[in-house]
Amino acid sequence: MPRKRAPKYTKPATAPHPSLTSSLNSKDSPRASAAESSPRSSSVNDLIQQYRRNHVSKLPEQTRDDVNPHTVHPSLRAILHVPDTPAPRPRPGMRVVGGRRGRLPAGPPPPHSWLRTGTRASTGSFKIRDGMNKSALKHVGSLPDLKLPEKRSLLDMTLKALARNWSWHQEYDQFYLATLPIRHKEALIAYIAFYNPQNLDFRGLDLLFLDDEELEDATGSETVTHLDFASAIGAAINLRDMPGFLTKKQPVSGAKQDTLQHGDVPESWDTFSANIPAAISVSRFPSLTHLSLAHAAEPSWKRLLAISPHLVTLTHLSLAYWPIPSLTPNAITAYRETPAGNVDYGASNFYSLFDGDLDEAAGVLRRLSKTTYCLQWLDLTGCGGWIQALAREDGADWCGAWRGLETVKIGQGWLPSIIEEEGPRWQAVAERKLSEDEARVTGVGKMRAELSTWVSGENMISRIDRIVNAMRLHRGNSSSTGHNVGPRLSIIDFDRGWDDWWIADALTKIQLMMATGEATQIAV
């Protein structure tokens, strides 16, 4: 069958009107002169290309090179002295986090109230838990400069929920915990140590401080400065395993492994056959400056001295409510029978504190000061039973290793109930003369006994303040020959845990009453 051919239609050429042609051909016509001066009409593609050429030609030389950079093989760049190809500029809406670019979260930015931090990090403390000693925690705050969120803020409630359900989160959110910002990690540890200390173990802490080599987008632990383990030592964390947590294994680059198997004989005795370790132990927290071990359920000075070489960067240390320094605390009642008589098993016995025998305590403090030579702030709140050891010349090295110490919190950790609030109530109780039976029935005798015990402790703190600062002024500034041995040492501020004016006024008046022989009105 013959093929069907589609008809082709062409547009007929139309010639301009003779009048127009004649007018255009005339040289004197204005339209002819305009047509001669105007360029030939261009298509849309020609206009776009022309715009691109004009745009690139107007760019500076550096920007023009970035538009179309010439790549050279890396092996030839050093020979030809060609600089590296510049990296592409980040697109709008991108941010750089930990060397990686990531897109900002969708939606509007969070309100300022969600991100605002409170002031209780330096002055206040957490809410008292059920079953905890209220008087013990009432005058003890958190570590200085620890950024805790405002009370009842969104971040505060979130951290509380994480802390109370920490076991569940470390099981099902273990791949997301390490991506938290460092400031939230520090606050989270403080919350868990307070609200759920029995579940704060090293397994969960290892998951929290994974680095970017172990988990993508992890923030690591290199910039961590605060670790608040208050009330957690002895619950799920023990000081025996602390060295393994404070260090980590880092592979040695280029380490050559020994190829000899066990029992093989080398070809020559000159052959180096010692096993080169494939990894070395490095500090997991190289920037750690603040550490709290307060309210430890199982404190151990022996373990503390063992981990102290890993704490050389500390500037703030809290040992609130730790017992008397001793390396054998479980042997204070043990003794050994000898022909010459019974000999104490340890360096201290049960009556050492009552007899003023603080030789072992002074020695332990001196060993601790030698390894924590960067300390500027020390918290010994609630350690009133053995603070006399601080004033011994063979004790802590106040003029050497601890010459940079500026503040020592040495408060008793409690206040008599009658002077906690402003008012003359304590004076009425102290000056009221009652018989022994009447004082026992009305409770005034108990209040007077509290006042007497508290004033005795404050007097001891004042004595230690005078002795230690005199030691720094005399022994630290000049040697026994009178020659200057270094820069002048500053006075240590012994913080008693209170700064209210009526408490200071009450203490002064009570001390005056005891000095003038009116002590019988206070202690019944």
Side-chain angles (χ1 to χ4, degrees):
M1 297 180 63
R3 283 191 306 177
K4 294 183 179 180
R5 298 182 180 275
K8 294 182 179 180
Y9 300 98
T10 58
K11 185 178 181 181
T14 57
H17 194 269
S19 61
L20 297 176
T21 304
S22 60
S23 64
L24 289 175
N25 291 334
S26 61
K27 295 182 179 180
D28 299 335
S29 175
R31 297 184 63 181
S33 60
E36 290 179 359
S37 62
S38 63
R40 183 175 54 87
S41 60
S42 302
S43 63
V44 176
N45 293 334
D46 295 338
L47 294 175
I48 293 176
Q49 293 295 337
Q50 183 181 2
Y51 172 76
R52 290 176 177 173
R53 287 194 298 269
N54 296 337
H55 180 68
V56 173
S57 62
K58 294 178 181 179
L59 293 175
E61 292 295 331
Q62 183 178 2
T63 310
R64 196 183 307 170
D65 295 339
D66 295 344
V67 173
N68 188 16
H70 299 283
T71 59
V72 182
H73 195 272
S75 60
L76 300 176
R77 287 177 183 169
I79 300 175
L80 301 177
H81 301 287
V82 177
D84 295 338
T85 304
R89 291 177 297 178
R91 292 177 295 175
M94 304 289 287
R95 63 177 176 180
V96 179
V97 180
R100 296 184 178 88
R101 290 185 296 171
R103 187 172 294 276
L104 291 171
H112 294 289
S113 61
W114 293 9
L115 306 177
R116 189 171 51 193
T117 56
T119 57
R120 60 171 179 159
S122 58
T123 57
S125 60
F126 290 107
K127 184 179 178 181
I128 306 301
R129 283 201 314 265
D130 294 337
M132 296 189 68
N133 188 358
K134 182 177 179 180
S135 61
L137 288 179
K138 192 167 186 179
H139 304 284
V140 179
S142 304
L143 285 173
D145 302 326
L146 178 59
K147 296 181 180 179
L148 297 177
E150 278 192 346
K151 189 176 181 181
R152 295 184 179 179
S153 62
L154 178 62
L155 184 57
D156 175 59
M157 293 185 289
T158 303
L159 292 176
K160 283 182 182 179
L162 283 172
R164 289 167 176 164
N165 302 279
W166 177 244
S167 299
W168 189 93
H169 286 288
Q170 74 176 0
E171 184 68 28
Y172 295 97
D173 293 336
Q174 54 182 313
F175 299 109
Y176 305 99
L177 295 173
T179 61
L180 291 174
I182 294 298
R183 64 182 185 278
H184 292 167
K185 288 183 180 181
E186 296 174 349
L188 180 59
I189 291 178
Y191 272 74
I192 300 174
F194 185 81
Y195 291 103
N196 197 1
Q198 63 273 9
N199 289 327
L200 182 62
D201 53 3
F202 288 124
R203 175 179 173 272
L205 293 175
D206 291 337
L207 293 174
L208 189 63
F209 292 112
L210 294 176
D211 55 19
D212 54 356
E213 296 181 357
E214 299 170 321
L215 183 65
E216 187 178 1
D217 296 332
T219 55
S221 58
E222 286 75 13
T223 58
V224 173
T225 58
H226 291 69
L227 288 178
D228 192 348
F229 292 137
S231 305
I233 302 299
I237 296 178
N238 55 67
L239 294 176
R240 179 180 302 176
D241 300 330
M242 188 68 74
F245 170 69
L246 296 176
T247 58
K248 64 178 181 180
K249 297 293 184 180
Q250 181 176 351
V252 180
S253 59
K256 182 179 179 182
Q257 295 297 323
D258 186 16
T259 58
L260 296 176
Q261 301 295 329
H262 180 69
D264 293 347
V265 179
E267 297 180 358
S268 174
W269 291 110
D270 297 333
T271 303
F272 181 73
S273 60
N275 291 326
I276 301 177
I280 57 176
S281 296
V282 296
S283 177
R284 177 177 289 184
F285 306 98
S287 304
L288 181 63
T289 56
H290 296 64
L291 177 65
S292 176
L293 304 176
H295 303 281
E298 296 180 0
S300 174
W301 289 94
K302 183 179 180 179
R303 300 297 178 186
L304 179 61
L305 293 176
I307 67 174
S308 59
H310 304 285
L311 307 177
V312 293
T313 59
L314 285 185
T315 59
H316 295 68
L317 176 63
S318 177
L319 299 176
Y321 294 95
W322 270 53
I324 180 174
S326 176
L327 300 180
T328 56
N330 297 327
I332 59 174
T333 58
Y335 60 91
R336 181 180 299 175
E337 295 181 356
T338 63
N342 297 335
V343 178
D344 295 332
Y345 184 82
S348 303
N349 55 32
F350 184 78
Y351 300 100
S352 295
L353 190 60
F354 301 98
D355 297 338
D357 183 9
L358 299 174
D359 294 340
E360 184 184 18
V364 172
L365 290 176
R366 190 168 189 84
R367 292 177 58 184
L368 179 64
S369 64
K370 293 295 184 181
T371 54
T372 55
Y373 44 81
C374 292
L375 275 188
Q376 301 175 6
W377 183 90
L378 180 63
D379 187 5
L380 297 177
T381 303
C383 301
W386 53 269
I387 59 174
Q388 303 95 314
L390 298 174
R392 293 177 60 106
E393 294 186 359
D394 58 345
D397 192 4
W398 298 104
C399 305
W402 278 0
R403 64 187 299 116
L405 203 58
E406 300 174 356
T407 303
V408 178
K409 295 189 66 175
I410 200 174
Q412 302 183 60
W414 67 281
L415 287 173
S417 57
I418 57 177
I419 65 172
E420 283 188 342
E421 298 180 359
E422 180 181 358
R425 183 185 177 192
W426 71 268
Q427 194 169 1
V429 172
E431 295 178 351
R432 187 177 179 183
K433 297 181 179 181
L434 298 174
S435 62
E436 183 176 352
D437 295 337
E438 186 179 2
R440 187 182 300 108
V441 172
T442 57
V444 176
K446 182 179 180 181
M447 296 180 185
R448 292 179 178 177
E450 286 184 354
L451 280 176
S452 177
T453 304
W454 178 72
V455 171
S456 300
E458 295 297 322
N459 292 336
M460 178 61 66
I461 294 175
S462 300
R463 176 176 172 272
I464 294 173
D465 188 350
R466 292 192 302 268
I467 294 176
V468 172
N469 283 315
M471 191 185 307
R472 288 170 67 91
L473 288 176
H474 297 349
R475 293 184 54 188
N477 299 330
S478 60
S479 62
S480 58
T481 58
H483 298 289
N484 190 14
V485 297
R488 186 178 183 85
L489 298 180
S490 59
I491 299 297
I492 296 180
D493 178 22
F494 285 89
D495 186 1
R496 306 191 181 200
W498 50 264
D499 54 359
D500 300 313
W501 67 269
W502 66 85
I503 299 179
D505 182 66
L507 177 61
T508 303
K509 292 182 178 180
I510 294 175
Q511 289 174 342
L512 181 61
M513 293 173 62
M514 298 178 68
T516 56
E518 300 179 5
T520 54
Q521 298 182 9
I522 299 177
V524 177

